[in-house]
Each structure stands twice: as C-alpha cells, then as structure tokens.
C-alpha cells in the first residue's frame, strides 16, 4: 500500500503515500484511499486527485497523519476552526478533539506591541519630533497622470 499519490487540495498540490492517508483507520480519508473500499473513486484534475478543502488546514492534517496521528506542529490561532472543521469532514476524531481543546497562544512576557501609522512625508517630521513615533520605512510612490506625488512613510511606536 505504498503507492505515491499526488493530491490537489484547494488548488495546492501535495504528494504523499496511500499508507499515510490511511493512517487513521475508520476515517473518511482511509476509506477513500483504501484500494479494497467500495467508496467512489476520487475525482482527478490534471492527473492529481482533487479534494475541495482548505489547503492551509490540509497541510496540518497531512503532517498529523505522517507522524502517526500525533499533532506536533503549533496551530496558528486563525486556523484552528478551519482545521477542526476539516478534521470533522475527514473523520479524524482525535485531531478534531485536539482542536476542540485548543487554547490560543499566549503572548510572551516582555513582548512589546508594535503600532504602525502611514503618513504623508511632510507630516512625519511633526509626529517623530513630538511623540514616541519613529521612522520605520518608506512607501514607494508612483505618479499617475494628473495626480500629485505625495510620498508616504510608515512610522512605528513602541508601547
């Protein structure tokens, strides 16, 4: 069962083995890719098996399956709900439970919050001289026909 498969998940290509996709027995993925299953053959798109799901969460699902159904990677906070939904869709019960019990990342002690402000260049000097704002970067400007060139900069403030 070591067939190498190419998957197109939401437009992103993944390459893995059939054994990896079948790692969690009883899951929809295991059923889909079990050669002895009566499950309908997956659709192909340009030679890759097409799965219409979010590729960002599928990356974590594939890593989970490759590591013996253990989640090793940190899940970005914004992705937890997507991953939980896709774990439910694919019948990955343990992964769904991990997502359900997930606690958002805590900001490390001593980490300073950064605020940014985009201003016109001629306003920047006033802000920098009169406050805690400091120069961060310039934004390139392109003059369009009939419009004045208003250079801008990005300022940042440490809190």
């Amino acid at each position: 069962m070591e067939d190498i498969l190419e998957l197109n998940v939401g437009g992103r290509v993944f390459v893995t083995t059939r054994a990896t996709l079948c790692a969690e027995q009883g899951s929809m993925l295991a059923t889909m890719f079990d050669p002895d299953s009566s499950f309908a053959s997956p659709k192909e798109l340009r030679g890759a098996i097409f799965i219409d799901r979010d590729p960002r969460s599928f990356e974590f699902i594939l890593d989970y399956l490759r590591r013996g159904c253990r989640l090793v990677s940190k899940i970005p906070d914004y992705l937890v709900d997507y991953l939980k939904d896709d774990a439910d869709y694919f019948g990955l019960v343990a992964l769904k439970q991990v997502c359900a019990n997930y606690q958002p990342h805590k900001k490390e002690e001593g980490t300073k919050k950064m605020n940014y402000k985009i201003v016109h260049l001629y306003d920047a000097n006033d802000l920098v001289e009169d406050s805690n704002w400091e120069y961060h970067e310039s934004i390139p400007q392109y003059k369009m026909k009939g419009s004045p060139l208003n250079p801008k900069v990005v300022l940042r403030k440490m809190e």
Side-chain angles (χ1 to χ4, degrees):
M1 203 164 29
E2 281 301 313
D3 301 337
I4 295 175
L5 302 173
E6 189 171 327
L7 308 174
N8 176 337
V9 181
R12 184 168 160 201
V13 175
F14 293 88
V15 178
T16 190
T17 63
R18 185 178 305 276
T20 296
L21 295 170
C22 295
E24 189 167 310
Q25 292 181 355
S27 71
M28 185 174 93
L29 281 173
T31 304
M32 279 175 70
F33 292 99
D34 181 348
D36 299 327
S37 171
S38 61
F39 200 82
S41 298
K43 302 235 186 268
E44 289 198 20
L45 179 66
R46 296 184 200 114
I49 298 165
F50 181 72
I51 300 174
D52 193 17
R53 298 307 282 187
D54 189 321
R56 297 169 301 172
S57 61
F58 194 78
E59 181 179 339
F60 283 88
I61 288 170
L62 202 51
D63 188 57
Y64 164 81
L65 294 169
R66 284 176 174 152
R67 296 179 184 278
C69 300
R70 292 179 308 120
L71 189 63
V72 177
S73 305
K74 255 188 189 179
I75 309 167
D77 292 342
Y78 74 91
L79 196 56
V80 174
D81 290 334
Y82 291 100
L83 185 56
K84 181 181 174 191
D85 186 53
D86 283 348
D88 183 47
Y89 176 81
F90 289 120
L92 302 168
V93 178
L95 182 57
K96 181 183 173 188
Q97 190 61 43
V98 167
C99 293
N101 295 332
Y102 175 81
Q103 297 294 316
H105 295 66
K106 292 182 180 176
K107 203 162 122 175
E108 291 182 27
E109 290 295 320
T111 303
K112 293 183 179 180
K113 182 180 175 186
M114 300 287 279
N115 287 319
Y116 294 89
K117 183 182 280 193
I118 298 173
V119 296
H120 292 282
L121 184 58
Y122 52 81
D123 294 330
N125 290 333
D126 295 335
L127 279 171
V128 172
E129 291 172 9
D130 296 336
S131 67
N132 294 329
W133 291 96
E134 63 182 25
Y135 171 81
H136 179 65
E137 68 178 304
S138 295
I139 299 175
Q141 295 293 304
Y142 302 96
K143 187 170 182 172
M144 296 170 56
K145 282 187 177 180
S147 68
L149 183 63
N150 292 318
K152 294 180 181 157
V153 295
V154 177
L155 302 176
R156 70 177 172 195
K157 181 178 186 178
M158 299 291 283
E159 290 184 359

